[in-house]
Amino acid sequence: MTTIELRAPLDGVILPLEQVPDPVFAQKMVGDGLSIDPLNQLLTAPCDGTVSQLHRAGHAVTLTTADGIEVMMHIGLDTVELKGQGFTPKVAEGQQVSAGDALIAFDADFLATHAKSLLTQVVITNPERLSDLRPASGRVRAVVMYLELAAGAAAAEELKGQIVSSEAVLVPNATGLHARPAAVLANLATKFKVE
């Protein structure tokens, strides 16, 4: 069984994801993980991986490990509405990073006065690839989560069967289709027999 250790991307105090004052994160629609109340202003890579997504507003980034585990970090709540103010990305999509590399710098004072919360979510967006996820608790500066890969999860799965698509779908959301609205749609999709 392969174990992955995720380092703390921020110094701070851990809160269970269920305590985040946002139902999409709290109900784990985005995925499983934890939240950190930050004590510093630089989000760093919790593991080696590739920057697979960097939101254009600079408030969220996803790393994909060599084992295919997707680690999404979302700084604050409703911070997408700031349209990039207060955030300085230090990486680009497709970039390889090592644990501890700078990902996003942010102005905590600005965010504290302009966003709903500074709580930063660290979420595994594909927890079905894990057999176990053990978050730490309390104040962190080191390892925040241990992930156990599920048997056979190390190799990327091949798509099989018929591909079905639809006409373009217009989503009337001023901030676009980011983590929370996308999670609601993905959660609905799990009701169908699809990969």
Side-chain angles (χ1 to χ4, degrees), residues 37-61:
D37 194 359
L39 297 174
N40 65 326
Q41 301 181 76
L42 181 65
L43 185 77
T44 59
C47 58
D48 297 348
T50 303
V51 178
S52 50
Q53 230 177 14
L54 176 65
H55 195 280
R56 67 178 175 268
H59 70 292
V61 61

Side-chain angles (χ1 to χ4, degrees), residues 24-103:
V24 174
F25 284 118
Q27 293 172 19
K28 301 183 180 180
M29 288 187 204
V30 178
D32 201 356
L34 53 79
S35 185
I36 300 174
D37 194 359
L39 297 174
N40 65 326
Q41 301 181 76
L42 181 65
L43 185 77
T44 59
C47 58
D48 297 348
T50 303
V51 178
S52 50
Q53 230 177 14
L54 176 65
H55 195 280
R56 67 178 175 268
H59 70 292
V61 61
T62 301
L63 300 183
T64 302
T65 71
D67 296 306
I69 302 302
E70 298 167 356
V71 183
M72 195 252 318
M73 290 152 284
H74 189 284
I75 302 168
L77 297 175
D78 294 338
T79 46
V80 68
E81 295 173 10
L82 299 177
K83 298 183 169 104
Q85 286 185 287
F87 298 99
T88 306
K90 302 292 185 182
V91 291
E93 282 188 17
Q95 184 175 334
Q96 295 290 317
V97 295
S98 297
D101 286 353
L103 299 175

Side-chain angles (χ1 to χ4, degrees), residues 116-150:
K116 179 178 176 180
S117 171
L118 278 174
L119 289 175
T120 298
Q121 287 56 248
V122 181
V123 177
I124 306 306
T125 60
N126 56 349
E128 69 279 358
R129 295 179 63 93
L130 303 176
S131 61
D132 192 24
L133 182 150
R134 296 183 311 275
S137 61
R139 184 167 174 187
V140 293
R141 295 186 73 151
V143 176
V144 290
M145 272 191 276
Y146 294 95
L147 311 175
E148 296 283 343
L149 289 177

